[in-house]
Amino acid sequence: MLKFQVTGGLCSLVISLQASPAAFDCLIEPTQAVDVASPVVGLLERVHVRRGDRVSKGQIIATVESGAEQAAAELARFKSQAMGPTLSAEGKIEFSQRKFQRRAQMATEKLMSTQDRDDAEAELKLAEAELQVAKENRQIAAIEHRQQTSLLNLRTLRSPFDGVVVDQLVYQGEVVEPTGAKKTILKLAQLDPLRVHVVLPMAAFRKITQGMSAKVALESPVGGTYSARVKTVDKLIDAASGTFAVFLEMRNAELAVPAGVKCRAEFQIEIGAPTQ
């Protein structure tokens, strides 16, 4: 770029160098795509979303039949909250304490044999042991409740991120299993932000840095130019092609840009010999 500068009536020539934009082919990709499958074997009870639906992180997207698991979890919850054995043991302790105190006093006054006092003491210790067993059983039941609840939760499938339902491969009434030909129930893709995959020549290595801005122009008929930032720069150069990959992050809150579109990414850099 050339600039003319007037100083004291004289015209001087000022040469200003500016990096010219360099454009490279790229491809718009989802940030991530996952195949949602059931971790347990069972009958697919319901799919709560359809192809093309937007889903949010944590949203229930499918459920596997879980009647037996719900009953087991409810039974474990009831056992963990049952107070009958504990109250019974506490009542026995209270009675045994009074009985032991009376007999101990009578044994001191020589009105009762030492054996009767020892029997009352043994009865008190047994009552205390029963109370301890009742408390431990409640703790065990609480652990079983958490276990059964965890098993029940495995039958409720939730979205791992905010995204879109790309495809449905299994439908209500079919049997699902962790392994097998039809293990994937739904395919999800995260489209906000989008990932822009750019392949650059080795001459651009070290000139593209994380956080650098770029302009992304989409091919027709989608069209449009969007801003993006460098998210990842590969540290490995492909020896066969002399290229390396760069991944940009591009916001897509309204999902106006679909994944799978070809594009051109423009950077404010000059391509020459690789920098040292």
Side-chain angles (χ1 to χ4, degrees):
M1 179 184 294
L2 299 179
K3 293 184 179 179
F4 288 95
Q5 180 179 0
V6 178
T7 305
L10 299 177
C11 181
S12 61
L13 179 63
V14 178
I15 299 178
S16 175
L17 296 178
Q18 181 179 358
S20 58
F24 306 92
D25 290 336
C26 58
L27 178 66
I28 305 295
E29 300 176 342
T31 299
Q32 56 180 324
V34 299
D35 294 343
V36 179
S38 172
V40 295
V41 178
L43 186 70
L44 186 60
E45 187 175 65
R46 184 180 177 187
V47 178
H48 300 266
V49 293
R50 294 181 297 178
R51 181 170 179 166
D53 286 351
R54 297 186 66 169
V55 294
S56 56
K57 183 177 181 179
Q59 177 182 338
I60 296 176
I61 55 178
T63 51
V64 179
E65 198 281 325
S66 57
E69 288 73 19
Q70 288 178 352
E74 182 63 21
L75 177 60
R77 183 195 64 81
F78 178 81
K79 288 181 178 180
S80 68
Q81 297 177 352
M83 292 295 298
T86 302
L87 294 175
S88 176
E90 288 175 347
K92 287 183 179 181
I93 289 178
E94 184 180 356
F95 173 77
S96 298
Q97 283 176 339
R98 293 198 303 266
K99 183 177 180 180
F100 172 67
Q101 290 171 358
R102 289 195 302 267
R103 293 195 175 185
Q105 181 64 29
M106 293 175 69
T108 302
E109 298 174 356
K110 307 297 182 181
L111 299 176
M112 183 173 290
S113 67
T114 304
Q115 181 63 46
D116 290 337
R117 182 200 62 187
D118 292 344
D119 290 343
E121 184 179 7
E123 186 177 338
L124 174 60
K125 290 181 178 180
L126 287 174
E128 291 173 343
E130 287 184 15
L131 178 60
Q132 182 63 28
V133 170
K135 290 181 177 180
E136 291 175 353
N137 286 338
R138 285 194 66 196
Q139 293 176 350
I140 293 173
I143 296 173
E144 289 178 347
H145 180 225
R146 290 197 296 270
Q147 179 189 30
Q148 292 298 331
T149 301
S150 298
L151 294 175
L152 178 60
N153 290 337
L154 292 177
R155 295 178 172 268
T156 302
L157 307 182
R158 299 177 182 272
S159 174
F161 48 70
D162 296 340
V164 174
V165 179
V166 177
D167 199 4
Q168 179 178 350
L169 289 87
V170 181
Y171 294 84
Q172 180 177 335
E174 295 187 69
V175 175
V176 295
E177 54 184 346
T179 59
K182 302 184 70 174
K183 63 180 182 179
T184 300
I185 300 173
L186 295 167
K187 291 187 176 183
L188 305 181
Q190 184 179 0
L191 301 181
D192 180 33
L194 286 166
R195 185 175 70 170
V196 184
H197 185 177
V198 191
V199 178
L200 290 91
M202 187 167 52
F205 193 68
R206 294 183 182 170
K207 295 182 179 181
I208 304 295
T209 58
Q210 187 175 6
M212 179 183 290
S213 60
K215 291 182 179 179
V216 178
L218 308 184
E219 70 172 357
S220 298
V222 178
T225 302
Y226 300 85
S227 298
R229 288 194 175 276
V230 176
K231 187 72 173 179
T232 306
V233 179
D234 271 1
K235 303 302 181 185
L236 180 66
I237 295 177
D238 182 65
S241 62
T243 60
F244 67 101
V246 171
F247 297 94
L248 314 180
E249 185 178 87
M250 188 174 78
R251 300 302 303 176
N252 190 31
E254 301 300 325
L255 303 189
V257 179
V261 179
K262 294 180 180 179
C263 56
R264 294 279 289 177
E266 184 179 286
F267 301 89
Q268 291 295 328
I269 59 172
E270 289 185 343
I271 300 299
T275 59
Q276 301 297 323

